[in-house]
Amino acid sequence: MPDYQRISLNATVPEHLEGERLDFIAAELFQQYSRSHLQRWIKSGELQVDGKQLKAKERLFADQELQIEAKIAIEVEADKAQAIALDIVFEDDHLLVVNKPAGLVVHPAVGHSDNTLLNGLLHHCPTLADLPRAGIVHRLDKDTSGILVVAKTAEAQESLIEQLQARTVNRHYYALVQGVITAGATIDAPIGRHPNNRQKQAVIAEGGKEAITHYRVEQRYRAQTLVRCQLESGRTHQIRVHMAYARYPVVGDRLYGGRPKLPKAAEPELVEALQQFPRQALHAYKLGLLHPVDGDYCEWEIPIADDMQHLLKLLAEDLKSA
């Protein structure tokens, strides 16, 4: 028989979600739980609004209170722990900050049932098996490298999720994109599932979720630009979708990017590096948040991943020799 834990959670509907359906709002406010869990709790009355059971399709007002009092099976077992090398940036009794390499999947899924970051976390800290999603509160795509925070306690997990919902967590990325950008900008364009390709996201005017990306130019090359991106929201593939929407797709992005732009008369080594770069050139380099226990602001910054650094070095040499 599986082990169970009792959960007791509260969240207030923010103004930007006013008028949305209960099931949509619940998915936004309780992102640590699957939509199937939330739908089941709405139907059973374990998830209520202002103390009343409502239907999933009912639309809510700002400041209404969602409450969950439920029992849930522990989602991961300690025997799924695997000895995967972790690059730990910071750790205390409440938080674990790791530098995820490109190619490492965050959660087990179809086609990736093991050898994920979650499996490695369970080996490093077995008590994470008692938390939903082993304490993981946000994710990076498989082929995106960089910094990611994990909660080690239920209290820390609740605090981090609240900060993510309030959009007070600072998440900064480096993205090497196709084309030469003259100036930074803000992309405010809703994102949703692509209507024809379920593997992709897209800018969707009707029915998309609010998504805001700020970017500024870090370095221009002859046919590419290195930009710093800051997320105000956290949608699936957000930077990749937004930069492609702005006609500056991320270098190496096979899903959204198309063929790479090549500098005129570039050296063969650079041409090969751009054409063969094995992933999207996207790296989460900085993360800032309030510590869940003492409330102090914490910030961590890590260097750009080695493969991106090598490509940037070639681009800088090309720019100098042009």
Side-chain angles (χ1 to χ4, degrees):
M1 294 291 290
D3 292 328
Y4 289 89
Q5 64 176 155
R6 298 292 308 182
I7 61 170
S8 180
L9 296 172
N10 293 275
T12 302
V13 178
E15 289 186 4
H16 71 273
L17 291 180
E18 183 170 33
E20 299 286 356
R21 288 168 51 116
L22 168 58
D23 53 359
F24 176 83
I25 293 173
E28 290 291 295
L29 298 183
F30 303 110
Q31 295 182 20
Q32 70 272 44
Y33 296 106
S34 68
R35 288 179 179 270
S36 60
H37 274 126
L38 296 169
Q39 291 280 3
R40 186 166 66 250
W41 293 336
I42 292 170
K43 190 172 182 180
S44 68
E46 292 170 286
L47 192 163
Q48 297 188 349
V49 180
D50 293 336
K52 299 178 181 179
Q53 182 176 355
L54 300 180
K55 293 182 179 179
K57 66 181 181 181
E58 294 198 42
R59 300 187 181 274
L60 305 185
F61 296 97
D63 296 327
Q64 287 191 281
E65 190 81 12
L66 276 65
Q67 306 99 19
I68 297 177
E69 296 288 342
K71 184 172 72 171
I72 185 173
I74 294 176
E75 295 187 21
V76 293
E77 303 292 339
D79 63 3
K80 290 185 178 179
Q82 292 175 292
I84 296 171
L86 299 178
D87 182 359
I88 297 174
V89 178
F90 171 83
E91 183 174 13
D92 64 10
D93 292 338
H94 313 282
L95 298 177
L96 180 64
V97 179
V98 298
N99 180 10
K100 186 193 83 69
L104 182 63
V105 175
V106 173
H107 289 113
V110 176
H112 299 282
S113 59
D114 59 5
N115 291 309
T116 69
L117 175 64
L118 184 147
N119 300 119
L121 289 170
L122 289 174
H123 182 270
H124 176 76
C125 184
T127 57
L128 290 175
D130 296 333
L131 298 176
R133 302 182 188 238
I136 296 171
V137 295
H138 67 121
R139 68 181 69 191
L140 297 174
D141 296 337
K142 173 189 173 186
D143 289 326
T144 297
S145 56
I147 199 163
L148 183 144
V149 65
V150 178
K152 294 177 68 175
T153 66
E155 294 76 16
Q157 189 171 36
E158 183 176 355
S159 172
L160 292 178
I161 290 167
E162 288 176 353
Q163 292 182 57
L164 286 165
Q165 291 167 355
R167 301 182 179 181
T168 57
V169 176
N170 292 316
R171 289 171 289 171
H172 299 258
Y173 294 72
Y174 280 116
L176 180 65
V177 301
Q178 307 280 14
V180 180
I181 300 177
T182 57
T186 292
I187 303 173
D188 184 350
I191 290 176
R193 183 78 68 179
H194 193 285
N196 302 319
N197 185 342
R198 292 193 60 79
Q199 291 185 325
K200 297 177 69 172
Q201 302 291 309
V203 170
I204 304 291
E206 296 293 331
K209 298 179 181 179
E210 182 185 37
I212 301 172
T213 303
H214 308 282
Y215 69 89
R216 66 183 180 88
V217 173
E218 178 71 10
Q219 177 65 56
R220 298 180 189 88
Y221 303 100
R222 289 206 291 145
Q224 284 78 29
T225 306
L226 181 66
V227 296
R228 294 185 188 227
C229 299
Q230 182 176 4
L231 295 180
E232 192 169 316
S233 52
R235 306 303 175 200
T236 301
H237 300 174
Q238 179 171 319
I239 292 174
R240 299 165 63 190
V241 172
H242 270 173
M243 295 313 295
Y245 174 73
R247 302 186 184 277
Y248 298 109
V250 177
V251 168
D253 193 337
R254 303 294 185 268
L255 194 58
Y256 301 101
R259 293 182 179 180
K261 293 180 181 291
L262 301 176
K264 187 176 180 180
E267 292 293 328
E269 185 180 6
L270 175 57
V271 171
E272 182 180 5
L274 286 168
Q275 291 178 335
Q276 302 300 323
F277 198 73
R279 66 177 183 99
Q280 62 264 11
L282 184 61
H283 177 77
Y285 75 93
K286 185 161 67 174
L287 178 71
L289 51 84
L290 298 180
H291 193 280
V293 174
D294 58 32
D296 289 344
Y297 182 73
C298 304
E299 188 172 88
W300 303 274
E301 186 168 346
I302 58 174
I304 296 177
D306 290 345
D307 58 349
M308 276 185 66
Q309 286 201 41
H310 177 68
L311 182 54
L312 294 173
K313 177 175 176 289
L314 294 177
L315 288 168
E317 291 173 351
D318 172 78
L319 181 63
K320 184 182 293 187
S321 62

